[in-house]
Amino acid sequence: MMIKEIAKTIGDRLSEDEELSDALAAALQRVQSYSNEIKGIRSAEEDLATSYEEAIRTFNQTRGGNRYFPFIGSGVGRGPFVELGDGSVKLDFINGIGSHPFGHSHPAIMESALRASLGDSVMQGNLQQNAEGSRFSQKILHAANGHSDLFQHCFLSSTGVMAGENMLKIAFQARFPADRIIAFEKCFAGRTIAFSQITDKAAFRQGLPQALQVDYVPFFDASDPEGSTQRAVSTLQAHLKRHPGKHAAFIYELVQGEGGFYPGTTEFFKALMEVCREHSVLNLCDEVQTFARLPELFAFRYFRLENWVDGLWIGKSSQVCASLFKAEHKPKPGLLSQTFTSSSAAIAAGECIVDLITEGDYLGPNGKISELSAYFTQGLAAIAQKQPNCIQGPFGIGAMTAFTPFQGDPAQAGKIVKALFDKGLMSFIAGANPTRIRFLWPIGVTEKEHIDIALRIVENTLSEAAG
C-alpha cells in the first residue's frame, strides 16, 4: 500500500531548507566571533568620544528630551555585557528595565528572531497572524494554568501598557456600569492617559484630563504585617461602602516595581481579594515587571493566588505582551483589536525565551533565580554591615534586587546611579520616599562572577560618595 505524502506549504519548505539553515548558522557564527571579543567592562575609545557625544545630543534633541543615560548601543553584546557606540562596555544589570532576561546577543534568541524575520511580513496583527502568535499564546496559557484551567484566553499586544488597557476594557465591560478602579498607593501602571490616572504619581498626569476615577489602598508593610493588612482591608471596605457597585476591578502589583521593589505576601493579597470577590470586583494582576523574575514564571503562582485572580497581563521579559482572561469575561466583538500585535521577530524571541526558562533550571526554590538572588542579597548585606551609613537593605525578591543609599535621598540616589554607570554598571532608581537603586539582572546569563563585579563597583562607589 502506498503511503500518501504529507502536503507541505511553501512556508514549510522554506523553514526546512538546509541551505537556509546553513546560512543562518554561518551568520550566527560570525556574530558570535565579534561578540566573543567582549570580555568585560571597558572604557570608551578616545577616538569615538566626540562623534558619540554628538550622536547623543542629536538623539536627545530629536526626541524632545534627554534620556536617563547617554546610551546608544553599538548592536552587539555578550551575555550581561553590552557595547555602546563609543566602544565602552557596560555590565547591564537593568536590561532596558527588565526587557532582556537573556542579556545581549544570545544565540538561540537571535536565531529565533532571524528565522521569523524571513517571514512574509514584519508585523503581525489582528487580521494577519502567523503561526508564532498562536504557539506563543498557547504556551503562555499553559504556563499560567499549570494543571488547571484558570484562563481560557490570551490576547497579544505590542506593549505592556496596551495589554493592561485591554484587560481594563474587559473588566469595565464585564462589570458595566461600574466605572471606578482600585489600586495600591505608590503603584505604577503605565503612561497612557487611562493608566496615568492609575499610576500614583501626580507628575505623570500633569496637564492630562481625568479619564478614570481611582481609589487607593495602602500596600503591605513588612515591618507591620498584621497591622498593614488590616489597614488595607479597612480602606478597601470603606471605598466599596462609599461607592457601592461602582468598582470594576482592583489592580494588583504583587511586587511594586517602580514604587521601590516592595513584595506583598500571600495572606495580604488573599485578604483583599476575598473582599473583592464578595463585592463582584475583579482581581487583576499587573505582571509586566514580575514576569520571569520570581522563582515562578508568574508572580500570582508564586504567591499561590490561583483561586483568586480573574485576569492578568505580562510584558518586558516576554518581548510580546499579553492579556490573560477567563471565558466568562470574554469581550464582545469590537472591544479588542490591534493592527500591530508585535513584530514576527519579537513574537518568536518571546516564544524562545519562555522555552528557555521553562525547560531550564531557573525556576523553583532551588532554581538559578533563587540561588543568584540569595547570593546578590548576601553581598549587598555584607556591604551594608561594613558601611551602615551608606546603604540600607537589600530589598526586593527574585531577580528584582534593590538597596537604599544614604537614607534614600532622591538627588543623591540619582547621582550614585550615574556614578555606577560611569564605572561600568547599569542600574536604575525606584521609589520616591525613600528612593532606591534597583537591579533587574538578566536571569539567563548572570553568574556569580558577574554579581561579584557589580558588588565591587557598588561598594567602591558608595565609599567615594561617603567622602
Side-chain angles (χ1 to χ4, degrees), residues 247-270:
H247 293 95
F250 191 139
I251 293 178
Y252 300 81
E253 276 185 297
L254 302 178
V255 181
Q256 290 200 317
E258 307 294 322
F261 278 27
Y262 294 92
T265 65
T266 301
E267 294 73 19
F268 174 76
F269 294 125
K270 278 187 176 180

mmCIF file with all atom_site columns, all heavy atoms in Angstrom, residues 247-270:
data_model
loop_
_atom_site.group_PDB
_atom_site.id
_atom_site.type_symbol
_atom_site.label_atom_id
_atom_site.label_alt_id
_atom_site.label_comp_id
_atom_site.label_asym_id
_atom_site.label_entity_id
_atom_site.label_seq_id
_atom_site.pdbx_PDB_ins_code
_atom_site.Cartn_x
_atom_site.Cartn_y
_atom_site.Cartn_z
_atom_site.occupancy
_atom_site.B_iso_or_equiv
_atom_site.pdbx_formal_charge
_atom_site.auth_seq_id
_atom_site.auth_comp_id
_atom_site.auth_asym_id
_atom_site.auth_atom_id
_atom_site.pdbx_PDB_model_num
ATOM 1   N N   . HIS A 1 247 ? -17.137 49.866 41.546 1.00 0.00 ? 247 HIS A N   1
ATOM 2   C CA  . HIS A 1 247 ? -15.766 49.443 41.239 1.00 0.00 ? 247 HIS A CA  1
ATOM 3   C C   . HIS A 1 247 ? -15.764 48.216 40.331 1.00 0.00 ? 247 HIS A C   1
ATOM 4   O O   . HIS A 1 247 ? -16.368 47.192 40.666 1.00 0.00 ? 247 HIS A O   1
ATOM 5   C CB  . HIS A 1 247 ? -15.001 49.144 42.527 1.00 0.00 ? 247 HIS A CB  1
ATOM 6   C CG  . HIS A 1 247 ? -14.753 50.354 43.367 1.00 0.00 ? 247 HIS A CG  1
ATOM 7   N ND1 . HIS A 1 247 ? -15.581 50.713 44.405 1.00 0.00 ? 247 HIS A ND1 1
ATOM 8   C CD2 . HIS A 1 247 ? -13.782 51.299 43.313 1.00 0.00 ? 247 HIS A CD2 1
ATOM 9   C CE1 . HIS A 1 247 ? -15.119 51.825 44.974 1.00 0.00 ? 247 HIS A CE1 1
ATOM 10  N NE2 . HIS A 1 247 ? -14.035 52.204 44.328 1.00 0.00 ? 247 HIS A NE2 1
ATOM 11  N N   . ALA A 1 248 ? -15.081 48.341 39.209 1.00 0.00 ? 248 ALA A N   1
ATOM 12  C CA  . ALA A 1 248 ? -14.997 47.226 38.265 1.00 0.00 ? 248 ALA A CA  1
ATOM 13  C C   . ALA A 1 248 ? -13.878 46.264 38.632 1.00 0.00 ? 248 ALA A C   1
ATOM 14  O O   . ALA A 1 248 ? -14.023 45.053 38.482 1.00 0.00 ? 248 ALA A O   1
ATOM 15  C CB  . ALA A 1 248 ? -14.781 47.746 36.846 1.00 0.00 ? 248 ALA A CB  1
ATOM 16  N N   . ALA A 1 249 ? -12.742 46.797 39.111 1.00 0.00 ? 249 ALA A N   1
ATOM 17  C CA  . ALA A 1 249 ? -11.583 45.929 39.330 1.00 0.00 ? 249 ALA A CA  1
ATOM 18  C C   . ALA A 1 249 ? -10.621 46.540 40.329 1.00 0.00 ? 249 ALA A C   1
ATOM 19  O O   . ALA A 1 249 ? -10.573 47.764 40.515 1.00 0.00 ? 249 ALA A O   1
ATOM 20  C CB  . ALA A 1 249 ? -10.862 45.660 38.008 1.00 0.00 ? 249 ALA A CB  1
ATOM 21  N N   . PHE A 1 250 ? -9.838  45.664 40.946 1.00 0.00 ? 250 PHE A N   1
ATOM 22  C CA  . PHE A 1 250 ? -8.690  46.036 41.773 1.00 0.00 ? 250 PHE A CA  1
ATOM 23  C C   . PHE A 1 250 ? -7.456  45.603 40.992 1.00 0.00 ? 250 PHE A C   1
ATOM 24  O O   . PHE A 1 250 ? -7.329  44.442 40.619 1.00 0.00 ? 250 PHE A O   1
ATOM 25  C CB  . PHE A 1 250 ? -8.761  45.325 43.124 1.00 0.00 ? 250 PHE A CB  1
ATOM 26  C CG  . PHE A 1 250 ? -7.787  45.822 44.173 1.00 0.00 ? 250 PHE A CG  1
ATOM 27  C CD1 . PHE A 1 250 ? -8.201  45.955 45.496 1.00 0.00 ? 250 PHE A CD1 1
ATOM 28  C CD2 . PHE A 1 250 ? -6.468  46.141 43.871 1.00 0.00 ? 250 PHE A CD2 1
ATOM 29  C CE1 . PHE A 1 250 ? -7.342  46.411 46.484 1.00 0.00 ? 250 PHE A CE1 1
ATOM 30  C CE2 . PHE A 1 250 ? -5.593  46.590 44.839 1.00 0.00 ? 250 PHE A CE2 1
ATOM 31  C CZ  . PHE A 1 250 ? -6.018  46.724 46.162 1.00 0.00 ? 250 PHE A CZ  1
ATOM 32  N N   . ILE A 1 251 ? -6.540  46.546 40.729 1.00 0.00 ? 251 ILE A N   1
ATOM 33  C CA  . ILE A 1 251 ? -5.310  46.225 40.006 1.00 0.00 ? 251 ILE A CA  1
ATOM 34  C C   . ILE A 1 251 ? -4.190  46.028 41.022 1.00 0.00 ? 251 ILE A C   1
ATOM 35  O O   . ILE A 1 251 ? -3.853  46.934 41.785 1.00 0.00 ? 251 ILE A O   1
ATOM 36  C CB  . ILE A 1 251 ? -4.962  47.334 39.003 1.00 0.00 ? 251 ILE A CB  1
ATOM 37  C CG1 . ILE A 1 251 ? -6.014  47.368 37.887 1.00 0.00 ? 251 ILE A CG1 1
ATOM 38  C CG2 . ILE A 1 251 ? -3.575  47.113 38.419 1.00 0.00 ? 251 ILE A CG2 1
ATOM 39  C CD1 . ILE A 1 251 ? -5.788  48.453 36.867 1.00 0.00 ? 251 ILE A CD1 1
ATOM 40  N N   . TYR A 1 252 ? -3.584  44.837 40.990 1.00 0.00 ? 252 TYR A N   1
ATOM 41  C CA  . TYR A 1 252 ? -2.547  44.465 41.953 1.00 0.00 ? 252 TYR A CA  1
ATOM 42  C C   . TYR A 1 252 ? -1.174  44.421 41.289 1.00 0.00 ? 252 TYR A C   1
ATOM 43  O O   . TYR A 1 252 ? -0.983  43.716 40.294 1.00 0.00 ? 252 TYR A O   1
ATOM 44  C CB  . TYR A 1 252 ? -2.808  43.078 42.539 1.00 0.00 ? 252 TYR A CB  1
ATOM 45  C CG  . TYR A 1 252 ? -4.101  42.919 43.280 1.00 0.00 ? 252 TYR A CG  1
ATOM 46  C CD1 . TYR A 1 252 ? -5.296  42.709 42.594 1.00 0.00 ? 252 TYR A CD1 1
ATOM 47  C CD2 . TYR A 1 252 ? -4.137  42.938 44.669 1.00 0.00 ? 252 TYR A CD2 1
ATOM 48  C CE1 . TYR A 1 252 ? -6.496  42.539 43.270 1.00 0.00 ? 252 TYR A CE1 1
ATOM 49  C CE2 . TYR A 1 252 ? -5.335  42.771 45.366 1.00 0.00 ? 252 TYR A CE2 1
ATOM 50  C CZ  . TYR A 1 252 ? -6.508  42.576 44.652 1.00 0.00 ? 252 TYR A CZ  1
ATOM 51  O OH  . TYR A 1 252 ? -7.691  42.404 45.335 1.00 0.00 ? 252 TYR A OH  1
ATOM 52  N N   . GLU A 1 253 ? -0.218  45.147 41.850 1.00 0.00 ? 253 GLU A N   1
ATOM 53  C CA  . GLU A 1 253 ? 1.194   44.853 41.623 1.00 0.00 ? 253 GLU A CA  1
ATOM 54  C C   . GLU A 1 253 ? 1.605   43.956 42.782 1.00 0.00 ? 253 GLU A C   1
ATOM 55  O O   . GLU A 1 253 ? 1.666   44.405 43.926 1.00 0.00 ? 253 GLU A O   1
ATOM 56  C CB  . GLU A 1 253 ? 2.045   46.122 41.646 1.00 0.00 ? 253 GLU A CB  1
ATOM 57  C CG  . GLU A 1 253 ? 2.124   46.887 40.361 1.00 0.00 ? 253 GLU A CG  1
ATOM 58  C CD  . GLU A 1 253 ? 3.082   48.051 40.479 1.00 0.00 ? 253 GLU A CD  1
ATOM 59  O OE1 . GLU A 1 253 ? 2.834   48.970 41.290 1.00 0.00 ? 253 GLU A OE1 1
ATOM 60  O OE2 . GLU A 1 253 ? 4.107   48.047 39.779 1.00 0.00 ? 253 GLU A OE2 1
ATOM 61  N N   . LEU A 1 254 ? 1.873   42.699 42.522 1.00 0.00 ? 254 LEU A N   1
ATOM 62  C CA  . LEU A 1 254 ? 2.212   41.772 43.592 1.00 0.00 ? 254 LEU A CA  1
ATOM 63  C C   . LEU A 1 254 ? 3.596   42.072 44.165 1.00 0.00 ? 254 LEU A C   1
ATOM 64  O O   . LEU A 1 254 ? 3.873   41.771 45.332 1.00 0.00 ? 254 LEU A O   1
ATOM 65  C CB  . LEU A 1 254 ? 2.127   40.331 43.085 1.00 0.00 ? 254 LEU A CB  1
ATOM 66  C CG  . LEU A 1 254 ? 0.742   39.949 42.529 1.00 0.00 ? 254 LEU A CG  1
ATOM 67  C CD1 . LEU A 1 254 ? 0.760   38.515 42.008 1.00 0.00 ? 254 LEU A CD1 1
ATOM 68  C CD2 . LEU A 1 254 ? -0.353  40.129 43.569 1.00 0.00 ? 254 LEU A CD2 1
ATOM 69  N N   . VAL A 1 255 ? 4.440   42.645 43.346 1.00 0.00 ? 255 VAL A N   1
ATOM 70  C CA  . VAL A 1 255 ? 5.691   43.254 43.802 1.00 0.00 ? 255 VAL A CA  1
ATOM 71  C C   . VAL A 1 255 ? 5.721   44.645 43.193 1.00 0.00 ? 255 VAL A C   1
ATOM 72  O O   . VAL A 1 255 ? 5.725   44.786 41.970 1.00 0.00 ? 255 VAL A O   1
ATOM 73  C CB  . VAL A 1 255 ? 6.932   42.458 43.343 1.00 0.00 ? 255 VAL A CB  1
ATOM 74  C CG1 . VAL A 1 255 ? 8.208   43.126 43.864 1.00 0.00 ? 255 VAL A CG1 1
ATOM 75  C CG2 . VAL A 1 255 ? 6.859   41.009 43.810 1.00 0.00 ? 255 VAL A CG2 1
ATOM 76  N N   . GLN A 1 256 ? 5.727   45.667 44.014 1.00 0.00 ? 256 GLN A N   1
ATOM 77  C CA  . GLN A 1 256 ? 5.762   47.019 43.467 1.00 0.00 ? 256 GLN A CA  1
ATOM 78  C C   . GLN A 1 256 ? 7.134   47.264 42.840 1.00 0.00 ? 256 GLN A C   1
ATOM 79  O O   . GLN A 1 256 ? 8.155   47.192 43.517 1.00 0.00 ? 256 GLN A O   1
ATOM 80  C CB  . GLN A 1 256 ? 5.468   48.046 44.559 1.00 0.00 ? 256 GLN A CB  1
ATOM 81  C CG  . GLN A 1 256 ? 4.016   48.007 45.010 1.00 0.00 ? 256 GLN A CG  1
ATOM 82  C CD  . GLN A 1 256 ? 3.574   49.284 45.704 1.00 0.00 ? 256 GLN A CD  1
ATOM 83  O OE1 . GLN A 1 256 ? 4.282   49.839 46.529 1.00 0.00 ? 256 GLN A OE1 1
ATOM 84  N NE2 . GLN A 1 256 ? 2.387   49.753 45.364 1.00 0.00 ? 256 GLN A NE2 1
ATOM 85  N N   . GLY A 1 257 ? 7.136   47.539 41.535 1.00 0.00 ? 257 GLY A N   1
ATOM 86  C CA  . GLY A 1 257 ? 8.383   47.726 40.809 1.00 0.00 ? 257 GLY A CA  1
ATOM 87  C C   . GLY A 1 257 ? 8.893   49.146 40.876 1.00 0.00 ? 257 GLY A C   1
ATOM 88  O O   . GLY A 1 257 ? 9.818   49.462 41.623 1.00 0.00 ? 257 GLY A O   1
ATOM 89  N N   . GLU A 1 258 ? 8.256   50.029 40.089 1.00 0.00 ? 258 GLU A N   1
ATOM 90  C CA  . GLU A 1 258 ? 8.674   51.430 40.080 1.00 0.00 ? 258 GLU A CA  1
ATOM 91  C C   . GLU A 1 258 ? 8.531   52.056 41.469 1.00 0.00 ? 258 GLU A C   1
ATOM 92  O O   . GLU A 1 258 ? 9.232   53.005 41.805 1.00 0.00 ? 258 GLU A O   1
ATOM 93  C CB  . GLU A 1 258 ? 7.819   52.223 39.085 1.00 0.00 ? 258 GLU A CB  1
ATOM 94  C CG  . GLU A 1 258 ? 7.753   51.647 37.686 1.00 0.00 ? 258 GLU A CG  1
ATOM 95  C CD  . GLU A 1 258 ? 9.079   51.690 36.972 1.00 0.00 ? 258 GLU A CD  1
ATOM 96  O OE1 . GLU A 1 258 ? 9.812   52.680 37.144 1.00 0.00 ? 258 GLU A OE1 1
ATOM 97  O OE2 . GLU A 1 258 ? 9.399   50.727 36.253 1.00 0.00 ? 258 GLU A OE2 1
ATOM 98  N N   . GLY A 1 259 ? 7.638   51.513 42.278 1.00 0.00 ? 259 GLY A N   1
ATOM 99  C CA  . GLY A 1 259 ? 7.394   52.064 43.607 1.00 0.00 ? 259 GLY A CA  1
ATOM 100 C C   . GLY A 1 259 ? 8.489   51.775 44.606 1.00 0.00 ? 259 GLY A C   1
ATOM 101 O O   . GLY A 1 259 ? 8.478   52.345 45.707 1.00 0.00 ? 259 GLY A O   1
ATOM 102 N N   . GLY A 1 260 ? 9.431   50.860 44.283 1.00 0.00 ? 260 GLY A N   1
ATOM 103 C CA  . GLY A 1 260 ? 10.542  50.631 45.196 1.00 0.00 ? 260 GLY A CA  1
ATOM 104 C C   . GLY A 1 260 ? 10.883  49.190 45.490 1.00 0.00 ? 260 GLY A C   1
ATOM 105 O O   . GLY A 1 260 ? 11.629  48.916 46.433 1.00 0.00 ? 260 GLY A O   1
ATOM 106 N N   . PHE A 1 261 ? 10.361  48.224 44.713 1.00 0.00 ? 261 PHE A N   1
ATOM 107 C CA  . PHE A 1 261 ? 10.662  46.800 44.910 1.00 0.00 ? 261 PHE A CA  1
ATOM 108 C C   . PHE A 1 261 ? 10.148  46.301 46.254 1.00 0.00 ? 261 PHE A C   1
ATOM 109 O O   . PHE A 1 261 ? 10.889  45.723 47.056 1.00 0.00 ? 261 PHE A O   1
ATOM 110 C CB  . PHE A 1 261 ? 12.166  46.532 44.778 1.00 0.00 ? 261 PHE A CB  1
ATOM 111 C CG  . PHE A 1 261 ? 12.628  46.393 43.347 1.00 0.00 ? 261 PHE A CG  1
ATOM 112 C CD1 . PHE A 1 261 ? 11.932  47.015 42.325 1.00 0.00 ? 261 PHE A CD1 1
ATOM 113 C CD2 . PHE A 1 261 ? 13.733  45.646 43.013 1.00 0.00 ? 261 PHE A CD2 1
ATOM 114 C CE1 . PHE A 1 261 ? 12.348  46.899 41.009 1.00 0.00 ? 261 PHE A CE1 1
ATOM 115 C CE2 . PHE A 1 261 ? 14.155  45.519 41.700 1.00 0.00 ? 261 PHE A CE2 1
ATOM 116 C CZ  . PHE A 1 261 ? 13.456  46.147 40.701 1.00 0.00 ? 261 PHE A CZ  1
ATOM 117 N N   . TYR A 1 262 ? 8.865   46.515 46.489 1.00 0.00 ? 262 TYR A N   1
ATOM 118 C CA  . TYR A 1 262 ? 8.207   46.052 47.700 1.00 0.00 ? 262 TYR A CA  1
ATOM 119 C C   . TYR A 1 262 ? 7.336   44.840 47.370 1.00 0.00 ? 262 TYR A C   1
ATOM 120 O O   . TYR A 1 262 ? 6.364   44.969 46.639 1.00 0.00 ? 262 TYR A O   1
ATOM 121 C CB  . TYR A 1 262 ? 7.316   47.144 48.294 1.00 0.00 ? 262 TYR A CB  1
ATOM 122 C CG  . TYR A 1 262 ? 8.046   48.355 48.806 1.00 0.00 ? 262 TYR A CG  1
ATOM 123 C CD1 . TYR A 1 262 ? 8.259   49.462 47.982 1.00 0.00 ? 262 TYR A CD1 1
ATOM 124 C CD2 . TYR A 1 262 ? 8.510   48.403 50.111 1.00 0.00 ? 262 TYR A CD2 1
ATOM 125 C CE1 . TYR A 1 262 ? 8.918   50.589 48.456 1.00 0.00 ? 262 TYR A CE1 1
ATOM 126 C CE2 . TYR A 1 262 ? 9.169   49.522 50.603 1.00 0.00 ? 262 TYR A CE2 1
ATOM 127 C CZ  . TYR A 1 262 ? 9.371   50.617 49.763 1.00 0.00 ? 262 TYR A CZ  1
ATOM 128 O OH  . TYR A 1 262 ? 10.024  51.725 50.226 1.00 0.00 ? 262 TYR A OH  1
ATOM 129 N N   . PRO A 1 263 ? 7.633   43.649 47.905 1.00 0.00 ? 263 PRO A N   1
ATOM 130 C CA  . PRO A 1 263 ? 6.743   42.499 47.708 1.00 0.00 ? 263 PRO A CA  1
ATOM 131 C C   . PRO A 1 263 ? 5.683   42.440 48.787 1.00 0.00 ? 263 PRO A C   1
ATOM 132 O O   . PRO A 1 263 ? 5.896   42.846 49.936 1.00 0.00 ? 263 PRO A O   1
ATOM 133 C CB  . PRO A 1 263 ? 7.708   41.306 47.818 1.00 0.00 ? 263 PRO A CB  1
ATOM 134 C CG  . PRO A 1 263 ? 8.800   41.788 48.723 1.00 0.00 ? 263 PRO A CG  1
ATOM 135 C CD  . PRO A 1 263 ? 8.924   43.278 48.518 1.00 0.00 ? 263 PRO A CD  1
ATOM 136 N N   . GLY A 1 264 ? 4.510   41.922 48.409 1.00 0.00 ? 264 GLY A N   1
ATOM 137 C CA  . GLY A 1 264 ? 3.482   41.646 49.388 1.00 0.00 ? 264 GLY A CA  1
ATOM 138 C C   . GLY A 1 264 ? 3.606   40.216 49.877 1.00 0.00 ? 264 GLY A C   1
ATOM 139 O O   . GLY A 1 264 ? 4.643   39.570 49.698 1.00 0.00 ? 264 GLY A O   1
ATOM 140 N N   . THR A 1 265 ? 2.546   39.684 50.476 1.00 0.00 ? 265 THR A N   1
ATOM 141 C CA  . THR A 1 265 ? 2.516   38.298 50.932 1.00 0.00 ? 265 THR A CA  1
ATOM 142 C C   . THR A 1 265 ? 1.217   37.647 50.480 1.00 0.00 ? 265 THR A C   1
ATOM 143 O O   . THR A 1 265 ? 0.247   38.327 50.137 1.00 0.00 ? 265 THR A O   1
ATOM 144 C CB  . THR A 1 265 ? 2.597   38.200 52.467 1.00 0.00 ? 265 THR A CB  1
ATOM 145 O OG1 . THR A 1 265 ? 1.416   38.784 53.040 1.00 0.00 ? 265 THR A OG1 1
ATOM 146 C CG2 . THR A 1 265 ? 3.828   38.912 52.999 1.00 0.00 ? 265 THR A CG2 1
ATOM 147 N N   . THR A 1 266 ? 1.207   36.332 50.510 1.00 0.00 ? 266 THR A N   1
ATOM 148 C CA  . THR A 1 266 ? 0.007   35.591 50.132 1.00 0.00 ? 266 THR A CA  1
ATOM 149 C C   . THR A 1 266 ? -1.175  35.984 51.007 1.00 0.00 ? 266 THR A C   1
ATOM 150 O O   . THR A 1 266 ? -2.284  36.231 50.512 1.00 0.00 ? 266 THR A O   1
ATOM 151 C CB  . THR A 1 266 ? 0.273   34.078 50.260 1.00 0.00 ? 266 THR A CB  1
ATOM 152 O OG1 . THR A 1 266 ? 1.357   33.724 49.405 1.00 0.00 ? 266 THR A OG1 1
ATOM 153 C CG2 . THR A 1 266 ? -0.962  33.280 49.860 1.00 0.00 ? 266 THR A CG2 1
ATOM 154 N N   . GLU A 1 267 ? -0.941  36.055 52.308 1.00 0.00 ? 267 GLU A N   1
ATOM 155 C CA  . GLU A 1 267 ? -2.026  36.376 53.239 1.00 0.00 ? 267 GLU A CA  1
ATOM 156 C C   . GLU A 1 267 ? -2.579  37.771 52.988 1.00 0.00 ? 267 GLU A C   1
ATOM 157 O O   . GLU A 1 267 ? -3.802  37.991 53.055 1.00 0.00 ? 267 GLU A O   1
ATOM 158 C CB  . GLU A 1 267 ? -1.526  36.260 54.682 1.00 0.00 ? 267 GLU A CB  1
ATOM 159 C CG  . GLU A 1 267 ? -1.154  34.847 55.112 1.00 0.00 ? 267 GLU A CG  1
ATOM 160 C CD  . GLU A 1 267 ? 0.148   34.344 54.495 1.00 0.00 ? 267 GLU A CD  1
ATOM 161 O OE1 . GLU A 1 267 ? 0.959   35.199 54.023 1.00 0.00 ? 267 GLU A OE1 1
ATOM 162 O OE2 . GLU A 1 267 ? 0.357   33.120 54.450 1.00 0.00 ? 267 GLU A OE2 1
ATOM 163 N N   . PHE A 1 268 ? -1.701  38.713 52.708 1.00 0.00 ? 268 PHE A N   1
ATOM 164 C CA  . PHE A 1 268 ? -2.114  40.088 52.446 1.00 0.00 ? 268 PHE A CA  1
ATOM 165 C C   . PHE A 1 268 ? -3.015  40.162 51.220 1.00 0.00 ? 268 PHE A C   1
ATOM 166 O O   . PHE A 1 268 ? -4.108  40.746 51.257 1.00 0.00 ? 268 PHE A O   1
ATOM 167 C CB  . PHE A 1 268 ? -0.875  40.967 52.262 1.00 0.00 ? 268 PHE A CB  1
ATOM 168 C CG  . PHE A 1 268 ? -1.160  42.382 51.849 1.00 0.00 ? 268 PHE A CG  1
ATOM 169 C CD1 . PHE A 1 268 ? -1.638  43.304 52.764 1.00 0.00 ? 268 PHE A CD1 1
ATOM 170 C CD2 . PHE A 1 268 ? -0.944  42.803 50.543 1.00 0.00 ? 268 PHE A CD2 1
ATOM 171 C CE1 . PHE A 1 268 ? -1.889  44.614 52.395 1.00 0.00 ? 268 PHE A CE1 1
ATOM 172 C CE2 . PHE A 1 268 ? -1.192  44.111 50.154 1.00 0.00 ? 268 PHE A CE2 1
ATOM 173 C CZ  . PHE A 1 268 ? -1.672  45.027 51.096 1.00 0.00 ? 268 PHE A CZ  1
ATOM 174 N N   . PHE A 1 269 ? -2.566  39.558 50.128 1.00 0.00 ? 269 PHE A N   1
ATOM 175 C CA  . PHE A 1 269 ? -3.344  39.633 48.886 1.00 0.00 ? 269 PHE A CA  1
ATOM 176 C C   . PHE A 1 269 ? -4.659  38.861 49.000 1.00 0.00 ? 269 PHE A C   1
ATOM 177 O O   . PHE A 1 269 ? -5.704  39.323 48.508 1.00 0.00 ? 269 PHE A O   1
ATOM 178 C CB  . PHE A 1 269 ? -2.520  39.106 47.716 1.00 0.00 ? 269 PHE A CB  1
ATOM 179 C CG  . PHE A 1 269 ? -1.316  39.947 47.386 1.00 0.00 ? 269 PHE A CG  1
ATOM 180 C CD1 . PHE A 1 269 ? -0.049  39.393 47.342 1.00 0.00 ? 269 PHE A CD1 1
ATOM 181 C CD2 . PHE A 1 269 ? -1.448  41.308 47.145 1.00 0.00 ? 269 PHE A CD2 1
ATOM 182 C CE1 . PHE A 1 269 ? 1.055   40.162 47.053 1.00 0.00 ? 269 PHE A CE1 1
ATOM 183 C CE2 . PHE A 1 269 ? -0.342  42.090 46.854 1.00 0.00 ? 269 PHE A CE2 1
ATOM 184 C CZ  . PHE A 1 269 ? 0.922   41.513 46.809 1.00 0.00 ? 269 PHE A CZ  1
ATOM 185 N N   . LYS A 1 270 ? -4.627  37.706 49.642 1.00 0.00 ? 270 LYS A N   1
ATOM 186 C CA  . LYS A 1 270 ? -5.860  36.930 49.787 1.00 0.00 ? 270 LYS A CA  1
ATOM 187 C C   . LYS A 1 270 ? -6.922  37.699 50.573 1.00 0.00 ? 270 LYS A C   1
ATOM 188 O O   . LYS A 1 270 ? -8.122  37.639 50.250 1.00 0.00 ? 270 LYS A O   1
ATOM 189 C CB  . LYS A 1 270 ? -5.566  35.596 50.470 1.00 0.00 ? 270 LYS A CB  1
ATOM 190 C CG  . LYS A 1 270 ? -5.034  34.519 49.541 1.00 0.00 ? 270 LYS A CG  1
ATOM 191 C CD  . LYS A 1 270 ? -4.929  33.190 50.266 1.00 0.00 ? 270 LYS A CD  1
ATOM 192 C CE  . LYS A 1 270 ? -4.486  32.086 49.322 1.00 0.00 ? 270 LYS A CE  1
ATOM 193 N NZ  . LYS A 1 270 ? -4.378  30.778 50.013 1.00 0.00 ? 270 LYS A NZ  1
#
